[in-house]
Amino acid sequence: MIYKIRVILDSEDDVFRDIEVDSGISLEELHNIITQTFGFLGNEMASFYTADENWNQDLEITLFSIGENTDARLMQDTRLSDVMDEQAPKLLYVYDFLNMWTFFVELADQEEFEEGRSYPNLLFSFGELPESPPEKRFEADPSSETEEPFGSYDDLDFDENWN
């Protein structure tokens, strides 16, 4: 099966790529395709995240395991069709954790293999990647109660004389 996927940079300007890929490729292969189509070197850490219909991230799938976390799900071991289909058509992709290039990856269509066509296939490219990543704004959810777990700092009985 061939997936037609739109990969959209999370920015104010429209920057996206439409690609066709074999649904059986690994997420590591998709990572390489995305970095190439956007002009990255591909030598930075990256992760995919499964996402719900509102783009809320869920399960992280990393490029490689860091430290002693042997439970990490790895891109090389995860097939695209295992995490993306018609019921779950969205993934988030973050490239270069120091700069946080963030992309929305969405399944647009599925088709049968076409004889004589090579995959992956860049169907359409729109917009230029900015020189620096768009700024991220991290805001608290206003619907959640943010209460200090221990009350006010002034109510705690600390001896602040460090003699």
Side-chain angles (χ1 to χ4, degrees), residues 7-115:
V7 183
I8 306 167
L9 175 64
D10 183 12
S11 68
E12 289 186 23
D13 296 330
D14 290 338
V15 179
F16 63 90
R17 306 292 183 261
D18 291 343
I19 55 175
E20 288 180 316
V21 297
D22 183 334
S23 64
I25 65 172
S26 70
L27 288 184
E28 184 175 17
E29 291 170 290
L30 182 59
H31 152 77
N32 291 331
I33 293 165
I34 292 171
T35 57
Q36 290 170 10
T37 60
F38 280 93
F40 293 114
L41 295 176
N43 58 356
E44 299 293 338
M45 184 60 186
S47 285
F48 283 97
Y49 298 88
T50 57
D52 64 16
E53 62 276 355
N54 296 316
W55 296 103
N56 296 310
Q57 73 184 42
D58 189 22
L59 174 70
E60 180 180 21
I61 305 158
T62 62
L63 185 55
F64 52 85
S65 183
I66 299 176
E68 297 176 14
N69 185 3
T70 57
D71 293 335
R73 191 162 179 184
L74 301 177
M75 289 184 198
Q76 68 184 17
D77 300 328
T78 306
R79 299 274 155 236
L80 177 59
S81 59
D82 292 341
V83 293
M84 178 182 269
D85 59 25
E86 289 177 332
Q87 284 70 46
K90 299 179 179 187
L91 295 172
L92 292 167
Y93 173 69
V94 178
Y95 176 75
D96 185 357
F97 287 102
L98 293 178
N99 290 304
M100 297 295 289
W101 292 96
T102 305
F103 298 86
F104 301 102
V105 180
E106 187 166 19
L107 177 62
D109 199 8
Q110 297 180 58
E111 294 184 351
E112 295 296 323
F113 286 95
E114 187 176 316
E115 286 296 322

Side-chain angles (χ1 to χ4, degrees), residues 153-163:
Y153 177 77
D154 296 333
D155 294 341
L156 298 175
D157 187 25
F158 283 116
D159 180 7
E160 295 185 11
N161 296 324
W162 295 85
N163 298 355

